[in-house]
């Protein structure tokens, strides 16, 4: 492990206080890149080959899709964004923060003020050279009350973004945050030319979008001027929105695509035995929640929510839906591999008697409770709802499974219907996961659970100097979500993708499938 990797690891673990953080950053100097090599090159065993046409079957397409990165919600959006754009920082496949459009960064001793040094000689697809003004304009799109950005919750701590010359940017925070480089890896935070049209798809990324059919197809051609060595190897990349898992599998087997996102757990074992097919499986922070809107009756009653949580047989769901390709969840979003995972928090188990107790206390009278679901959410989402329906029935709870159309699920169901099935990819840090989905004012607070006390502890934990105290605070936050929140989280899913074996350098990521949604950039084709 290099000194830069060690430094980055300490930051992620919270084992470096702000004084030590600033001292070490100063010692490393302005040229410190926290992992100077891009992950694919650092670990590559073969020289990438240029050429070939990459076709990926992916989920999350809808006719309302747009190339505007701000409202992105699905896998298709994230992968599309990383085709045409880059962030200041890249989330490495080893979990490190890797310089991308920022070649290095320097924090102040209290981690409240950060200087990001911007790469020189990088050009946008329209030929314009990247400058600090482009970065300032792009980041400010995600700030303010009226932004539609999914990263708005992250950016509320940013008090100022300003240029320092033509190739440096100063970001000022309202309090110290050692996780800032990880925040800037988010797939919404792409850097675009100042004052450009948000739906144009003009960035610095490896592929220029030349054909776009919303919710159906994204087609890109290689950017010959791409600034990363060894990246962007295919001549063309095509993303095909195939929400149905059986259709994605058939497309892979018949050669329509050569990579498929989210292999169906039911067919993974069989698919793995097919000649010429490779399975790519990674554990991480992805999870499949059942979301209750805490601002809508009867889900505004904490006993009602607890009753529904005790009515889930998590082991049965992991066994039958994930086929063992995942882990049992405990109604909070932090995975067991996270350094701030609350390991001493008691695991909630299936308990029909407790479910009955809480439902009776909430005044439940046996009426049907609609649960919206679709395999557009994830492979097995309908099966999950049906299994849960059976589990809940043993507690005297009637669940009415509503099969929603796949097209438009993320626009018409998610954050709209009061009880629905969803999915979340992982986030680089516990703070980012809790901020984007559970902070009261988060744009993606999809359970509409708002607790000022939670927000207060979250902000304090972000700036806490003592790692032990920070661990205690994150454990308290996880307990608050588990016992009071609106997310029933029965399972954490492994990311399981499949590809023909001529697709090389498919890097696994603990954050998302499809090599961290960067497969178009990272892989190359053999033959």
């Amino acid at each position: 492990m290099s000194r830069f990797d060690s430094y980055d690891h300490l930051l992620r673990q919270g084992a470096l206080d702000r004084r030590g953080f600033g001292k070490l950053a100063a010692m490393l100097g302005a040229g410190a890149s926290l992992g100077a090599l891009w992950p694919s090159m650092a670990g590559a065993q073969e020289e990438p080959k240029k050429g070939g046409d990459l076709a990926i079957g992916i989920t999350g397409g809808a006719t309302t899709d747009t190339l505007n990165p701000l409202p992105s919600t699905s896998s298709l959006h994230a992968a599309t964004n990383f085709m045409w754009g880059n962030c200041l920082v890249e989330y490495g496949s080893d979990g490190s923060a890797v310089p991308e459009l920022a070649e290095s960064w320097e924090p102040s001793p209290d981690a409240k003020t950060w200087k990001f040094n911007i790469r020189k000689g990088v050009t946008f697809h329209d030929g314009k050279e990247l400058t600090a003004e482009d970065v300032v304009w792009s980041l400010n799109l995600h700030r303010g009350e009226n932004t539609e950005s999914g990263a708005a919750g992250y950016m509320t701590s940013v008090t100022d973004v300003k240029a320092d010359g033509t190739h440096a940017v100063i970001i000022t925070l309202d309090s110290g945050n050692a996780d800032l480089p990880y925040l800037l890896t988010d797939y919404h935070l792409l850097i675009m030319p100042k004052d450009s049209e948000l739906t144009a798809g003009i960035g610095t990324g490896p592929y220029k979008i030349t054909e776009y059919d919303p919710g159906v197809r994204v087609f890109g051609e290689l950017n010959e001027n791409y600034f990363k060595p060894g990246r962007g190897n295919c001549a063309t990349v095509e993303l095909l929105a195939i929400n149905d898992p059986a259709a994605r599998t058939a497309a892979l087997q018949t050669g329509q695509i050569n990579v498929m996102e989210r292999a169906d757990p039911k067919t993974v074992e069989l698919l793995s035995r097919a000649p010429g097919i490779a399975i790519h499986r990674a554990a991480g922070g992805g999870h499949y929640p059942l979301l209750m809107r805490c601002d809508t009756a009867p889900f505004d009653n904490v006993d009602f929510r607890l009753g529904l949580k005790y009515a889930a047989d998590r082991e049965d769901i992991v066994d039958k839906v994930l086929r063992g390709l995942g882990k049992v969840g405990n109604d909070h979003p932090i995975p067991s591999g996270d350094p701030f995972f609350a390991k001493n928090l008691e695991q909630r188990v299936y308990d029909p008697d407790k479910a009955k107790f809480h439902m009776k206390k909430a005044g439940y009278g046996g009426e049907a409770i609609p649960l919206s679901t679709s395999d557009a959410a994830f492979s097995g989402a309908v099966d999950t709802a049906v299994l849960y329906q059976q589990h809940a029935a043993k507690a005297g709870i009637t669940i009415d499974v509503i099969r929603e159309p796949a097209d438009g699920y993320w626009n018409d169901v998610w954050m709209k219907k009061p009880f629905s099935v969803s999915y979340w990819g992982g986030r680089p840090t516990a703070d980012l996961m809790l901020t984007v989905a559970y902070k009261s004012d988060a744009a993606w607070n999809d359970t509409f659970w708002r607790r000022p006390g939670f927000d207060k502890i979250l902000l304090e934990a972000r700036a806490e100097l003592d790692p032990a105290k920070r661990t205690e605070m994150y454990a308290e936050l996880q307990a608050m979500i588990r016992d009071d929140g609106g997310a029933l989280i029965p399972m954490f899913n492994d990311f399981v993708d499949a590809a023909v074996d001529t697709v090389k350098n498919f890097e696994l990521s603990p954050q998302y499938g499809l090599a961290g949604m960067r497969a178009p950039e990272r892989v190359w084709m053999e033959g």
Side-chain angles (χ1 to χ4, degrees):
M1 180 179 290
S2 72
R3 60 175 181 163
F4 299 139
D5 291 335
S6 299
Y7 170 51
D8 189 71
H9 180 71
L10 287 170
L11 277 179
R12 295 190 69 242
Q13 301 295 319
L16 199 61
D17 66 23
R18 285 186 284 182
R19 180 176 298 176
F21 176 82
K23 183 184 295 184
L24 184 52
M27 178 185 73
L28 293 179
S33 63
L34 295 92
L37 296 177
W38 279 288
S40 65
M41 296 307 296
Q45 300 298 314
E46 302 176 69
E47 186 71 22
K49 294 181 180 178
K50 296 292 185 179
D53 302 312
L54 180 68
I56 300 175
I58 194 168
T59 64
T63 54
T64 54
D65 284 351
T66 171
L67 287 176
N68 180 354
L70 274 68
S72 299
T73 57
S74 72
S75 296
L76 176 59
H77 304 157
T80 300
N81 291 354
F82 285 140
M83 276 179 64
W84 64 263
N86 299 102
C87 300
L88 285 183
V89 185
E90 176 181 345
Y91 185 73
S93 54
D94 62 351
S96 63
V98 179
E100 193 165 34
L101 290 178
E103 63 181 359
S104 62
W105 45 85
E106 307 159 41
S108 62
D110 61 1
K112 288 180 63 175
T113 303
W114 293 70
K115 180 179 180 180
F116 287 84
N117 299 300
I118 309 305
R119 291 187 187 279
K120 297 177 181 178
V122 176
T123 57
F124 291 102
H125 297 159
D126 61 2
K128 180 185 182 298
E129 184 172 347
L130 169 70
T131 69
E133 291 294 341
D134 301 309
V135 175
V136 172
W137 179 81
S138 297
L139 293 183
N140 279 333
L141 293 171
H142 307 271
R143 301 177 61 207
E145 295 182 1
N146 297 322
T147 182
E148 60 181 335
S149 172
Y154 297 160
M155 299 297 286
T156 56
S157 64
V158 176
T159 60
D160 191 32
V161 183
K162 65 181 181 181
D164 181 19
T166 58
H167 285 87
V169 171
I170 305 295
I171 299 178
T172 305
L173 309 177
D174 56 14
S175 60
N177 187 355
D179 291 340
L180 180 61
Y182 289 95
L183 181 157
L184 296 173
T185 68
D186 187 272
Y187 61 85
H188 301 88
L189 300 175
L190 303 181
I191 306 304
M192 297 172 282
K194 182 181 178 181
D195 298 325
S196 62
E197 173 56 53
L198 298 184
T199 59
I202 301 297
T204 56
Y207 295 93
K208 299 178 181 180
I209 306 302
T210 55
E211 297 179 42
Y212 184 61
D213 188 355
V216 178
R217 179 175 179 264
V218 182
F219 187 82
E221 298 179 10
L222 181 64
N223 173 15
E224 297 290 352
N225 296 319
Y226 194 44
F227 66 97
K228 293 187 187 179
R231 296 288 195 93
N233 298 299
C234 300
T236 66
V237 172
E238 182 179 28
L239 303 181
L240 293 172
I242 309 176
N243 291 326
D244 180 71
R248 288 197 303 280
T249 303
L252 181 68
Q253 292 175 319
T254 58
Q256 181 186 2
I257 60 176
N258 38 38
V259 178
M260 68 170 287
E261 185 210 11
R262 293 204 227 171
D264 190 337
K266 295 178 184 176
T267 61
V268 166
E269 184 177 354
L270 183 63
L271 195 59
S272 68
R273 297 199 296 267
I277 300 293
I279 302 297
H280 302 284
R281 174 187 175 187
H287 53 281
Y288 296 148
L290 280 63
L291 302 172
M292 298 173 268
R293 285 193 58 151
C294 297
D295 64 344
T296 304
F299 304 100
D300 56 352
N301 185 306
V302 65
D303 281 294
F304 197 89
R305 300 195 295 270
L306 282 171
L308 292 178
K309 290 176 183 180
Y310 279 112
D313 187 337
R314 299 150 201 276
E315 297 283 357
D316 191 45
I317 292 174
V318 169
D319 181 53
K320 292 178 179 175
V321 175
L322 296 184
R323 305 297 175 102
L325 299 173
K327 295 181 179 180
V328 166
N330 198 21
D331 297 334
H332 67 76
I334 307 304
S336 59
D338 190 283
F340 293 116
F341 172 72
K343 59 184 178 181
N344 295 324
L345 190 60
E346 183 180 359
Q347 172 66 51
R348 178 165 286 136
V349 297
Y350 182 44
D351 193 329
D353 290 335
K354 283 188 178 180
K356 289 178 183 178
F357 169 79
H358 286 287
M359 296 301 281
K360 182 179 180 180
K361 189 176 178 182
Y364 175 68
E367 59 273 12
I369 303 169
L371 171 59
S372 294
T373 187
S374 168
D375 279 346
F378 61 87
S379 299
V382 172
D383 290 342
T384 297
V386 171
L387 274 176
Y388 178 64
Q389 179 186 54
Q390 296 169 3
H391 302 156
K394 295 179 181 178
I397 302 170
T398 303
I399 301 295
D400 183 15
V401 175
I402 308 297
R403 291 170 169 82
E404 303 280 3
D407 185 50
Y409 188 82
W410 300 109
N411 291 316
D412 303 329
V413 178
W414 180 64
M415 296 190 72
K416 300 290 195 308
K417 299 295 179 71
F419 194 25
S420 65
V421 176
S422 185
Y423 87 93
W424 274 92
R427 289 299 185 271
T429 68
D431 174 73
L432 293 185
M433 185 68 243
L434 299 178
T435 298
V436 74
Y438 294 90
K439 193 169 180 285
S440 294
D441 60 357
W444 283 359
N445 180 355
D446 52 13
T447 56
F448 296 84
W449 180 72
R450 299 182 175 95
R451 296 292 184 271
F454 177 91
D455 300 341
K456 180 176 182 292
I457 298 172
L458 180 62
L459 293 176
E460 291 172 349
R462 183 180 298 163
E464 175 54 55
L465 301 176
D466 186 332
K469 289 182 180 179
R470 199 178 189 204
T471 298
E472 290 177 3
M473 296 168 84
Y474 281 120
E476 183 177 358
L477 294 173
Q478 290 166 69
M480 291 173 71
I481 295 172
R482 186 195 70 157
D483 296 333
D484 186 60
L488 193 176
I489 304 177
M491 55 184 161
F492 280 79
N493 61 288
D494 290 349
F495 299 115
V496 184
D497 304 316
V500 297
D501 58 12
T502 54
V503 174
K504 303 297 182 181
N505 199 47
F506 197 103
E507 299 174 12
L508 300 181
S509 170
Q511 187 177 20
Y512 301 116
L514 289 182
M517 291 298 150
R518 288 178 176 265
E521 181 199 48
R522 293 178 176 176
V523 306
W524 51 272
M525 309 287 291
E526 183 178 67

